[in-house]
Amino acid sequence: MAHAEKKPMVLSILIPSYNADCTRLMADLASQCAAHAATHPDFSYEILVGDDASSRQDLTALNRQTAESLGVRYLLMDENQGQSRLRNVLARASKGTHLLFIDSDAQVCTPDFIARYAADAPRADVICGALRNPKPPFAENCTLRYRYEKKAEGQRPAAYRNRHPYERFTAFNAMMARSVWEQIHFEERCRHYGYEDALMGLQMQRLGISILHTDNPLIHLGIDSNASFLHKTETALQTLLTLGPPMTLHAGASRVAGKLAHWHVLGLMARIFSLCRGIMRHHLLGHHPSLTVFNLYRVGYYASLLRQTKKH
């Protein structure tokens, strides 16, 4: 029996960026892609970086200069798009049969990162790589995000994620067939931080798109300060409220708030949060923040948002 001819693969690596130094990431990816293309004539590639109207002109200039030297396409937005819309802009501008989305705060940490994605491409519609935390030490004011990420490590091995493939989808390090993105664009209502990946996972589940999670890693360098992470969390919960079902039926804070509303104690939770918010923030911005307090803060903050909405 004759073997089916292997289809050529054109890999588009798409990196949305805002005030980030992407020089090392671009160089590492370009090096690995060139090496793989040299030994695999059915493989070709392109790298696109989308600068979301960064305010750091020094970083923009540095990234553009590096991109030009590496043959990377550098798209500078006239105004801020938000990460979801920018991912869609990059996808439209790309030519690949496969789209590899990588966040700009990622770092390549293995010599076969691209080769593994190329080998895994036929195995599923979507291949979701792994996220590794950087090694400590970190600044004292980054302990909240670090503890949050450390706790999440138990859910990051591929074996665990493959038991919950749609819930664990993230575009931090993920490749999809172009046909997948053509069916499901990133939700452009998510202008700011939070929930665009989770919503896309739900859409993939609805359409029966196959996902394979692997242990092909990138290091996540974006360990925010406590203040920045708390602000991002509040922004994400505001986004969650605007999205409504089905997202609010799956996200933890909104599900708990829904139960509180069912038990007619949502208003009580919002009032308690209002009284305790300052104390909780002081604790979470300190040197030894508790994840239990963080989770209570999330539920209380969402309950207060929901209560305000119901009033209007």
Side-chain angles (χ1 to χ4, degrees):
M1 180 182 295
H3 293 286
E5 184 179 351
K6 188 175 181 180
K7 294 182 179 179
M9 178 183 186
V10 181
L11 180 64
S12 294
I13 302 177
L14 310 179
I15 306 171
S17 173
Y18 180 77
N19 286 351
D21 181 349
C22 302
T23 54
R24 179 176 175 182
L25 180 60
M26 286 188 282
D28 289 343
L29 292 170
S31 176
Q32 286 200 19
C33 284
H36 191 73
T39 56
H40 294 77
D42 57 344
F43 174 84
S44 58
Y45 69 95
E46 62 176 356
I47 302 173
L48 287 75
V49 174
D51 186 321
D52 205 7
S54 293
S55 60
R56 289 280 307 273
Q57 299 301 313
D58 57 331
L59 292 178
T60 296
L62 181 63
N63 288 333
R64 291 185 74 165
Q65 183 179 15
T66 302
E68 289 175 5
S69 69
L70 295 171
V72 172
R73 294 172 63 191
Y74 197 83
L75 282 65
L76 179 59
M77 303 297 107
D78 293 330
E79 58 184 29
N80 190 269
Q81 306 291 308
Q83 184 154 276
S84 289
R85 181 178 294 176
L86 183 54
R87 283 174 175 157
N88 289 334
V89 168
L90 289 169
R92 291 188 189 96
S94 69
K95 303 173 183 177
T97 59
H98 293 77
L99 311 179
L100 174 53
F101 293 95
I102 297 177
D103 283 3
S104 60
D105 58 358
Q107 182 182 91
V108 178
C109 56
T110 55
D112 59 347
F113 175 74
I114 293 298
R116 289 182 64 181
Y117 263 120
D120 287 335
R123 300 178 63 190
D125 300 320
V126 176
I127 311 294
C128 201
L131 181 153
R132 284 185 188 169
N133 289 327
K135 295 180 180 179
F138 298 102
E140 288 186 356
N141 66 346
C142 295
T143 48
L144 179 59
R145 181 65 184 262
Y146 179 66
R147 291 182 179 185
Y148 178 85
E149 296 294 344
K150 284 295 291 182
K151 185 177 181 181
E153 283 183 348
Q155 300 176 347
R156 287 183 178 152
Y160 177 90
R161 289 182 286 127
N162 279 316
R163 292 195 296 271
H164 312 274
Y166 301 101
E167 296 173 23
R168 305 311 303 173
F169 170 77
T170 170
F172 170 78
N173 171 18
M175 181 179 73
M176 62 183 68
R178 186 176 197 88
S179 58
V180 171
W181 175 79
E182 289 173 345
Q183 293 178 75
I184 313 173
H185 290 13
F186 287 94
E187 176 53 72
E188 295 188 0
R189 286 180 296 167
C190 299
R191 285 294 308 273
H192 306 290
Y193 178 83
Y195 293 103
E196 67 273 14
D197 295 352
L199 185 56
M200 179 169 270
L202 290 177
Q203 294 172 314
M204 290 177 180
Q205 184 176 27
R206 178 175 58 83
L207 294 175
I209 290 167
S210 60
I211 300 181
L212 173 69
H213 290 269
T214 72
D215 284 320
N216 192 12
L218 289 172
I219 294 175
H220 176 225
L221 298 176
I223 303 297
D224 307 275
S225 69
N226 295 356
S228 174
F229 187 51
L230 197 57
H231 174 70
K232 283 184 174 181
T233 299
E234 292 174 349
T235 300
L237 292 171
Q238 293 166 21
T239 297
L240 175 62
L241 185 65
T242 65
L243 293 176
M247 195 63 254
T248 50
L249 301 176
H250 289 81
S254 54
R255 285 191 294 111
V256 173
K259 290 179 181 179
L260 294 175
H262 179 73
W263 296 331
H264 304 289
V265 293
L266 181 71
L268 176 62
M269 179 65 182
R271 287 192 294 272
I272 292 173
F273 175 75
S274 179
L275 292 171
C276 300
R277 183 179 182 182
I279 297 172
M280 296 172 77
R281 282 186 63 87
H282 181 76
H283 168 78
L284 293 173
L285 297 178
H287 298 318
H288 304 287
S290 162
L291 290 182
T292 299
V293 174
F294 177 62
N295 289 330
L296 288 171
Y297 187 94
R298 293 170 66 203
V299 173
Y301 186 83
Y302 188 83
S304 67
L305 292 176
L306 192 59
R307 185 165 177 259
Q308 291 171 13
T309 301
K310 290 181 180 297
K311 281 184 177 181
H312 298 296

